[in-house]
PDB file of all heavy atoms in Angstrom:
ATOM      1  N   VAL A 108      -7.999   9.469   5.187  1.00  0.00           N
ATOM      2  CA  VAL A 108      -8.874  10.193   4.255  1.00  0.00           C
ATOM      3  C   VAL A 108      -9.764  11.173   5.015  1.00  0.00           C
ATOM      4  O   VAL A 108      -9.987  12.308   4.563  1.00  0.00           O
ATOM      5  CB  VAL A 108      -9.717   9.204   3.439  1.00  0.00           C
ATOM      6  CG1 VAL A 108     -10.625   9.948   2.458  1.00  0.00           C
ATOM      7  CG2 VAL A 108      -8.819   8.239   2.667  1.00  0.00           C
ATOM      8  N   LEU A 109     -10.273  10.752   6.160  1.00  0.00           N
ATOM      9  CA  LEU A 109     -11.068  11.661   6.992  1.00  0.00           C
ATOM     10  C   LEU A 109     -10.252  12.879   7.397  1.00  0.00           C
ATOM     11  O   LEU A 109     -10.754  14.017   7.370  1.00  0.00           O
ATOM     12  CB  LEU A 109     -11.565  10.924   8.237  1.00  0.00           C
ATOM     13  CG  LEU A 109     -12.270  11.783   9.291  1.00  0.00           C
ATOM     14  CD1 LEU A 109     -13.540  12.402   8.716  1.00  0.00           C
ATOM     15  CD2 LEU A 109     -12.592  10.936  10.530  1.00  0.00           C
ATOM     16  N   ALA A 110      -8.989  12.670   7.751  1.00  0.00           N
ATOM     17  CA  ALA A 110      -8.134  13.783   8.160  1.00  0.00           C
ATOM     18  C   ALA A 110      -7.917  14.762   7.010  1.00  0.00           C
ATOM     19  O   ALA A 110      -7.880  15.980   7.225  1.00  0.00           O
ATOM     20  CB  ALA A 110      -6.798  13.247   8.668  1.00  0.00           C
ATOM     21  N   PHE A 111      -7.759  14.235   5.794  1.00  0.00           N
ATOM     22  CA  PHE A 111      -7.657  15.131   4.638  1.00  0.00           C
ATOM     23  C   PHE A 111      -8.912  15.980   4.499  1.00  0.00           C
ATOM     24  O   PHE A 111      -8.839  17.176   4.200  1.00  0.00           O
ATOM     25  CB  PHE A 111      -7.449  14.317   3.360  1.00  0.00           C
ATOM     26  CG  PHE A 111      -6.010  13.991   3.062  1.00  0.00           C
ATOM     27  CD1 PHE A 111      -5.536  12.705   3.230  1.00  0.00           C
ATOM     28  CD2 PHE A 111      -5.140  14.959   2.605  1.00  0.00           C
ATOM     29  CE1 PHE A 111      -4.212  12.391   2.957  1.00  0.00           C
ATOM     30  CE2 PHE A 111      -3.817  14.661   2.331  1.00  0.00           C
ATOM     31  CZ  PHE A 111      -3.349  13.373   2.506  1.00  0.00           C
ATOM     32  N   ALA A 112     -10.074  15.378   4.700  1.00  0.00           N
ATOM     33  CA  ALA A 112     -11.335  16.107   4.586  1.00  0.00           C
ATOM     34  C   ALA A 112     -11.444  17.193   5.650  1.00  0.00           C
ATOM     35  O   ALA A 112     -11.963  18.287   5.394  1.00  0.00           O
ATOM     36  CB  ALA A 112     -12.511  15.136   4.698  1.00  0.00           C
ATOM     37  N   ILE A 113     -10.951  16.899   6.857  1.00  0.00           N
ATOM     38  CA  ILE A 113     -10.980  17.908   7.921  1.00  0.00           C
ATOM     39  C   ILE A 113     -10.070  19.074   7.566  1.00  0.00           C
ATOM     40  O   ILE A 113     -10.423  20.247   7.763  1.00  0.00           O
ATOM     41  CB  ILE A 113     -10.556  17.268   9.258  1.00  0.00           C
ATOM     42  CG1 ILE A 113     -11.587  16.244   9.703  1.00  0.00           C
ATOM     43  CG2 ILE A 113     -10.374  18.353  10.331  1.00  0.00           C
ATOM     44  CD1 ILE A 113     -11.178  15.441  10.921  1.00  0.00           C
ATOM     45  N   GLY A 114      -8.896  18.774   7.033  1.00  0.00           N
ATOM     46  CA  GLY A 114      -7.946  19.827   6.683  1.00  0.00           C
ATOM     47  C   GLY A 114      -8.306  20.590   5.431  1.00  0.00           C
ATOM     48  O   GLY A 114      -7.906  21.753   5.276  1.00  0.00           O
ATOM     49  N   ARG A 115      -9.039  19.932   4.533  1.00  0.00           N
ATOM     50  CA  ARG A 115      -9.438  20.571   3.271  1.00  0.00           C
ATOM     51  C   ARG A 115     -10.933  20.323   3.053  1.00  0.00           C
ATOM     52  O   ARG A 115     -11.320  19.411   2.309  1.00  0.00           O
ATOM     53  CB  ARG A 115      -8.629  19.999   2.112  1.00  0.00           C
ATOM     54  CG  ARG A 115      -7.136  20.317   2.178  1.00  0.00           C
ATOM     55  CD  ARG A 115      -6.370  19.617   1.057  1.00  0.00           C
ATOM     56  NE  ARG A 115      -6.834  20.016  -0.260  1.00  0.00           N
ATOM     57  CZ  ARG A 115      -6.376  21.071  -0.940  1.00  0.00           C
ATOM     58  NH1 ARG A 115      -5.443  21.855  -0.400  1.00  0.00           N
ATOM     59  NH2 ARG A 115      -6.847  21.377  -2.131  1.00  0.00           N
ATOM     60  N   PRO A 116     -11.796  21.089   3.719  1.00  0.00           N
ATOM     61  CA  PRO A 116     -13.250  20.857   3.620  1.00  0.00           C
ATOM     62  C   PRO A 116     -13.771  20.880   2.188  1.00  0.00           C
ATOM     63  O   PRO A 116     -14.788  20.238   1.895  1.00  0.00           O
ATOM     64  CB  PRO A 116     -13.838  22.009   4.446  1.00  0.00           C
ATOM     65  CG  PRO A 116     -12.744  22.411   5.371  1.00  0.00           C
ATOM     66  CD  PRO A 116     -11.467  22.205   4.620  1.00  0.00           C
ATOM     67  N   GLN A 117     -13.087  21.592   1.311  1.00  0.00           N
ATOM     68  CA  GLN A 117     -13.532  21.642  -0.081  1.00  0.00           C
ATOM     69  C   GLN A 117     -13.403  20.289  -0.774  1.00  0.00           C
ATOM     70  O   GLN A 117     -14.007  20.079  -1.843  1.00  0.00           O
ATOM     71  CB  GLN A 117     -12.735  22.708  -0.859  1.00  0.00           C
ATOM     72  CG  GLN A 117     -11.255  22.409  -1.037  1.00  0.00           C
ATOM     73  CD  GLN A 117     -10.388  22.937   0.089  1.00  0.00           C
ATOM     74  OE1 GLN A 117     -10.846  23.049   1.233  1.00  0.00           O
ATOM     75  NE2 GLN A 117      -9.150  23.276  -0.218  1.00  0.00           N
ATOM     76  N   ASP A 118     -12.636  19.376  -0.174  1.00  0.00           N
ATOM     77  CA  ASP A 118     -12.454  18.047  -0.754  1.00  0.00           C
ATOM     78  C   ASP A 118     -13.264  16.978  -0.022  1.00  0.00           C
ATOM     79  O   ASP A 118     -13.073  15.785  -0.270  1.00  0.00           O
ATOM     80  CB  ASP A 118     -10.969  17.656  -0.713  1.00  0.00           C
ATOM     81  CG  ASP A 118     -10.108  18.559  -1.587  1.00  0.00           C
ATOM     82  OD1 ASP A 118     -10.631  19.100  -2.570  1.00  0.00           O
ATOM     83  OD2 ASP A 118      -8.905  18.718  -1.273  1.00  0.00           O
ATOM     84  N   ALA A 119     -14.159  17.398   0.865  1.00  0.00           N
ATOM     85  CA  ALA A 119     -14.857  16.448   1.730  1.00  0.00           C
ATOM     86  C   ALA A 119     -15.724  15.473   0.939  1.00  0.00           C
ATOM     87  O   ALA A 119     -15.805  14.283   1.276  1.00  0.00           O
ATOM     88  CB  ALA A 119     -15.705  17.190   2.761  1.00  0.00           C
ATOM     89  N   LEU A 120     -16.388  15.946  -0.106  1.00  0.00           N
ATOM     90  CA  LEU A 120     -17.260  15.065  -0.883  1.00  0.00           C
ATOM     91  C   LEU A 120     -16.455  13.945  -1.538  1.00  0.00           C
ATOM     92  O   LEU A 120     -16.859  12.770  -1.499  1.00  0.00           O
ATOM     93  CB  LEU A 120     -18.021  15.863  -1.936  1.00  0.00           C
ATOM     94  CG  LEU A 120     -18.974  15.050  -2.823  1.00  0.00           C
ATOM     95  CD1 LEU A 120     -20.036  14.365  -1.957  1.00  0.00           C
ATOM     96  CD2 LEU A 120     -19.636  15.951  -3.865  1.00  0.00           C
ATOM     97  N   MET A 121     -15.326  14.298  -2.131  1.00  0.00           N
ATOM     98  CA  MET A 121     -14.500  13.272  -2.772  1.00  0.00           C
ATOM     99  C   MET A 121     -13.881  12.348  -1.721  1.00  0.00           C
ATOM    100  O   MET A 121     -13.689  11.154  -1.977  1.00  0.00           O
ATOM    101  CB  MET A 121     -13.415  13.922  -3.621  1.00  0.00           C
ATOM    102  CG  MET A 121     -12.654  12.931  -4.503  1.00  0.00           C
ATOM    103  SD  MET A 121     -13.728  11.947  -5.584  1.00  0.00           S
ATOM    104  CE  MET A 121     -14.330  13.228  -6.702  1.00  0.00           C
ATOM    105  N   ALA A 122     -13.587  12.883  -0.551  1.00  0.00           N
ATOM    106  CA  ALA A 122     -13.080  12.039   0.529  1.00  0.00           C
ATOM    107  C   ALA A 122     -14.133  11.025   0.951  1.00  0.00           C
ATOM    108  O   ALA A 122     -13.815   9.850   1.195  1.00  0.00           O
ATOM    109  CB  ALA A 122     -12.665  12.900   1.723  1.00  0.00           C
ATOM    110  N   ALA A 123     -15.388  11.458   1.026  1.00  0.00           N
ATOM    111  CA  ALA A 123     -16.475  10.535   1.368  1.00  0.00           C
ATOM    112  C   ALA A 123     -16.603   9.441   0.311  1.00  0.00           C
ATOM    113  O   ALA A 123     -16.830   8.266   0.638  1.00  0.00           O
ATOM    114  CB  ALA A 123     -17.788  11.299   1.503  1.00  0.00           C
ATOM    115  N   PHE A 124     -16.452   9.821  -0.959  1.00  0.00           N
ATOM    116  CA  PHE A 124     -16.499   8.831  -2.041  1.00  0.00           C
ATOM    117  C   PHE A 124     -15.380   7.805  -1.889  1.00  0.00           C
ATOM    118  O   PHE A 124     -15.605   6.597  -2.047  1.00  0.00           O
ATOM    119  CB  PHE A 124     -16.376   9.535  -3.396  1.00  0.00           C
ATOM    120  CG  PHE A 124     -16.112   8.599  -4.546  1.00  0.00           C
ATOM    121  CD1 PHE A 124     -17.112   7.768  -5.030  1.00  0.00           C
ATOM    122  CD2 PHE A 124     -14.857   8.554  -5.148  1.00  0.00           C
ATOM    123  CE1 PHE A 124     -16.866   6.892  -6.086  1.00  0.00           C
ATOM    124  CE2 PHE A 124     -14.600   7.694  -6.197  1.00  0.00           C
ATOM    125  CZ  PHE A 124     -15.612   6.856  -6.667  1.00  0.00           C
ATOM    126  N   LEU A 125     -14.194   8.264  -1.536  1.00  0.00           N
ATOM    127  CA  LEU A 125     -13.062   7.354  -1.409  1.00  0.00           C
ATOM    128  C   LEU A 125     -13.259   6.407  -0.226  1.00  0.00           C
ATOM    129  O   LEU A 125     -12.941   5.208  -0.325  1.00  0.00           O
ATOM    130  CB  LEU A 125     -11.762   8.142  -1.252  1.00  0.00           C
ATOM    131  CG  LEU A 125     -10.478   7.319  -1.268  1.00  0.00           C
ATOM    132  CD1 LEU A 125     -10.372   6.484  -2.535  1.00  0.00           C
ATOM    133  CD2 LEU A 125      -9.260   8.231  -1.137  1.00  0.00           C
ATOM    134  N   ILE A 126     -13.791   6.909   0.892  1.00  0.00           N
ATOM    135  CA  ILE A 126     -14.067   6.032   2.029  1.00  0.00           C
ATOM    136  C   ILE A 126     -15.106   4.986   1.640  1.00  0.00           C
ATOM    137  O   ILE A 126     -15.007   3.810   2.016  1.00  0.00           O
ATOM    138  CB  ILE A 126     -14.520   6.849   3.251  1.00  0.00           C
ATOM    139  CG1 ILE A 126     -13.353   7.685   3.785  1.00  0.00           C
ATOM    140  CG2 ILE A 126     -15.057   5.936   4.353  1.00  0.00           C
ATOM    141  CD1 ILE A 126     -13.716   8.602   4.930  1.00  0.00           C
ATOM    142  N   PHE A 127     -16.113   5.403   0.876  1.00  0.00           N
ATOM    143  CA  PHE A 127     -17.111   4.452   0.354  1.00  0.00           C
ATOM    144  C   PHE A 127     -16.437   3.348  -0.453  1.00  0.00           C
ATOM    145  O   PHE A 127     -16.750   2.165  -0.291  1.00  0.00           O
ATOM    146  CB  PHE A 127     -18.117   5.212  -0.517  1.00  0.00           C
ATOM    147  CG  PHE A 127     -18.963   4.334  -1.391  1.00  0.00           C
ATOM    148  CD1 PHE A 127     -20.044   3.634  -0.863  1.00  0.00           C
ATOM    149  CD2 PHE A 127     -18.692   4.211  -2.752  1.00  0.00           C
ATOM    150  CE1 PHE A 127     -20.825   2.818  -1.673  1.00  0.00           C
ATOM    151  CE2 PHE A 127     -19.468   3.406  -3.568  1.00  0.00           C
ATOM    152  CZ  PHE A 127     -20.538   2.703  -3.025  1.00  0.00           C
ATOM    153  N   CYS A 128     -15.486   3.722  -1.281  1.00  0.00           N
ATOM    154  CA  CYS A 128     -14.763   2.742  -2.091  1.00  0.00           C
ATOM    155  C   CYS A 128     -13.902   1.834  -1.215  1.00  0.00           C
ATOM    156  O   CYS A 128     -13.773   0.628  -1.487  1.00  0.00           O
ATOM    157  CB  CYS A 128     -13.898   3.447  -3.127  1.00  0.00           C
ATOM    158  SG  CYS A 128     -14.845   4.410  -4.315  1.00  0.00           S
ATOM    159  N   PHE A 129     -13.313   2.401  -0.153  1.00  0.00           N
ATOM    160  CA  PHE A 129     -12.540   1.592   0.790  1.00  0.00           C
ATOM    161  C   PHE A 129     -13.431   0.540   1.463  1.00  0.00           C
ATOM    162  O   PHE A 129     -12.989  -0.585   1.716  1.00  0.00           O
ATOM    163  CB  PHE A 129     -11.908   2.475   1.863  1.00  0.00           C
ATOM    164  CG  PHE A 129     -10.667   3.199   1.419  1.00  0.00           C
ATOM    165  CD1 PHE A 129     -10.166   3.043   0.136  1.00  0.00           C
ATOM    166  CD2 PHE A 129      -9.996   4.051   2.286  1.00  0.00           C
ATOM    167  CE1 PHE A 129      -9.019   3.710  -0.270  1.00  0.00           C
ATOM    168  CE2 PHE A 129      -8.843   4.712   1.895  1.00  0.00           C
ATOM    169  CZ  PHE A 129      -8.355   4.545   0.606  1.00  0.00           C
ATOM    170  N   VAL A 130     -14.675   0.916   1.773  1.00  0.00           N
ATOM    171  CA  VAL A 130     -15.602  -0.049   2.375  1.00  0.00           C
ATOM    172  C   VAL A 130     -15.837  -1.217   1.410  1.00  0.00           C
ATOM    173  O   VAL A 130     -15.901  -2.378   1.830  1.00  0.00           O
ATOM    174  CB  VAL A 130     -16.936   0.629   2.736  1.00  0.00           C
ATOM    175  CG1 VAL A 130     -17.975  -0.406   3.152  1.00  0.00           C
ATOM    176  CG2 VAL A 130     -16.736   1.649   3.851  1.00  0.00           C
ATOM    177  N   GLY A 131     -15.921  -0.903   0.122  1.00  0.00           N
ATOM    178  CA  GLY A 131     -16.105  -1.964  -0.866  1.00  0.00           C
ATOM    179  C   GLY A 131     -14.937  -2.923  -0.909  1.00  0.00           C
ATOM    180  O   GLY A 131     -15.121  -4.150  -0.865  1.00  0.00           O
ATOM    181  N   THR A 132     -13.719  -2.389  -0.991  1.00  0.00           N
ATOM    182  CA  THR A 132     -12.547  -3.271  -1.047  1.00  0.00           C
ATOM    183  C   THR A 132     -12.375  -4.023   0.269  1.00  0.00           C
ATOM    184  O   THR A 132     -12.046  -5.210   0.281  1.00  0.00           O
ATOM    185  CB  THR A 132     -11.271  -2.469  -1.351  1.00  0.00           C
ATOM    186  OG1 THR A 132     -11.117  -1.405  -0.395  1.00  0.00           O
ATOM    187  CG2 THR A 132     -11.320  -1.872  -2.741  1.00  0.00           C
ATOM    188  N   GLY A 133     -12.617  -3.338   1.390  1.00  0.00           N
ATOM    189  CA  GLY A 133     -12.443  -3.986   2.686  1.00  0.00           C
ATOM    190  C   GLY A 133     -13.450  -5.091   2.935  1.00  0.00           C
ATOM    191  O   GLY A 133     -13.095  -6.189   3.385  1.00  0.00           O
ATOM    192  N   SER A 134     -14.723  -4.821   2.639  1.00  0.00           N
ATOM    193  CA  SER A 134     -15.753  -5.828   2.894  1.00  0.00           C
ATOM    194  C   SER A 134     -15.608  -7.025   1.958  1.00  0.00           C
ATOM    195  O   SER A 134     -15.770  -8.176   2.386  1.00  0.00           O
ATOM    196  CB  SER A 134     -17.147  -5.206   2.745  1.00  0.00           C
ATOM    197  OG  SER A 134     -17.328  -4.681   1.432  1.00  0.00           O
ATOM    198  N   SER A 135     -15.279  -6.780   0.690  1.00  0.00           N
ATOM    199  CA  SER A 135     -15.094  -7.894  -0.249  1.00  0.00           C
ATOM    200  C   SER A 135     -13.872  -8.714   0.122  1.00  0.00           C
ATOM    201  O   SER A 135     -13.844  -9.943  -0.059  1.00  0.00           O
ATOM    202  CB  SER A 135     -14.966  -7.365  -1.682  1.00  0.00           C
ATOM    203  OG  SER A 135     -13.837  -6.513  -1.833  1.00  0.00           O
ATOM    204  N   PHE A 136     -12.868  -8.068   0.669  1.00  0.00           N
ATOM    205  CA  PHE A 136     -11.640  -8.727   1.117  1.00  0.00           C
ATOM    206  C   PHE A 136     -11.912  -9.631   2.321  1.00  0.00           C
ATOM    207  O   PHE A 136     -11.573 -10.822   2.333  1.00  0.00           O
ATOM    208  CB  PHE A 136     -10.631  -7.634   1.461  1.00  0.00           C
ATOM    209  CG  PHE A 136      -9.347  -8.100   2.086  1.00  0.00           C
ATOM    210  CD1 PHE A 136      -8.273  -8.473   1.304  1.00  0.00           C
ATOM    211  CD2 PHE A 136      -9.196  -8.124   3.457  1.00  0.00           C
ATOM    212  CE1 PHE A 136      -7.077  -8.885   1.879  1.00  0.00           C
ATOM    213  CE2 PHE A 136      -8.008  -8.528   4.048  1.00  0.00           C
ATOM    214  CZ  PHE A 136      -6.948  -8.910   3.250  1.00  0.00           C
ATOM    215  N   LEU A 137     -12.559  -9.066   3.354  1.00  0.00           N
ATOM    216  CA  LEU A 137     -12.784  -9.821   4.581  1.00  0.00           C
ATOM    217  C   LEU A 137     -13.848 -10.903   4.402  1.00  0.00           C
ATOM    218  O   LEU A 137     -13.731 -12.001   4.962  1.00  0.00           O
ATOM    219  CB  LEU A 137     -13.187  -8.877   5.704  1.00  0.00           C
ATOM    220  CG  LEU A 137     -12.092  -7.957   6.226  1.00  0.00           C
ATOM    221  CD1 LEU A 137     -12.623  -7.074   7.355  1.00  0.00           C
ATOM    222  CD2 LEU A 137     -10.903  -8.754   6.723  1.00  0.00           C
ATOM    223  N   ALA A 138     -14.892 -10.610   3.628  1.00  0.00           N
ATOM    224  CA  ALA A 138     -15.932 -11.616   3.402  1.00  0.00           C
ATOM    225  C   ALA A 138     -15.358 -12.835   2.693  1.00  0.00           C
ATOM    226  O   ALA A 138     -15.668 -13.982   3.043  1.00  0.00           O
ATOM    227  CB  ALA A 138     -17.080 -11.013   2.591  1.00  0.00           C
ATOM    228  N   TYR A 139     -14.489 -12.599   1.706  1.00  0.00           N
ATOM    229  CA  TYR A 139     -13.850 -13.713   1.014  1.00  0.00           C
ATOM    230  C   TYR A 139     -12.968 -14.495   1.988  1.00  0.00           C
ATOM    231  O   TYR A 139     -12.957 -15.737   1.983  1.00  0.00           O
ATOM    232  CB  TYR A 139     -13.020 -13.202  -0.155  1.00  0.00           C
ATOM    233  CG  TYR A 139     -12.518 -14.301  -1.068  1.00  0.00           C
ATOM    234  CD1 TYR A 139     -13.147 -14.560  -2.280  1.00  0.00           C
ATOM    235  CD2 TYR A 139     -11.423 -15.084  -0.714  1.00  0.00           C
ATOM    236  CE1 TYR A 139     -12.699 -15.577  -3.118  1.00  0.00           C
ATOM    237  CE2 TYR A 139     -10.974 -16.100  -1.528  1.00  0.00           C
ATOM    238  CZ  TYR A 139     -11.611 -16.346  -2.736  1.00  0.00           C
ATOM    239  OH  TYR A 139     -11.169 -17.357  -3.546  1.00  0.00           O
TER     240      TYR A 139
END
Side-chain angles (χ1 to χ4, degrees):
V108 180
L109 173 63
F111 273 107
I113 294 173
R115 294 175 60 88
Q117 66 271 29
D118 295 333
L120 180 60
M121 189 55 68
F124 167 73
L125 187 56
I126 291 176
F127 165 78
C128 297
F129 281 0
V130 171
T132 55
S134 59
S135 61
F136 174 88
L137 290 181
Y139 190 101

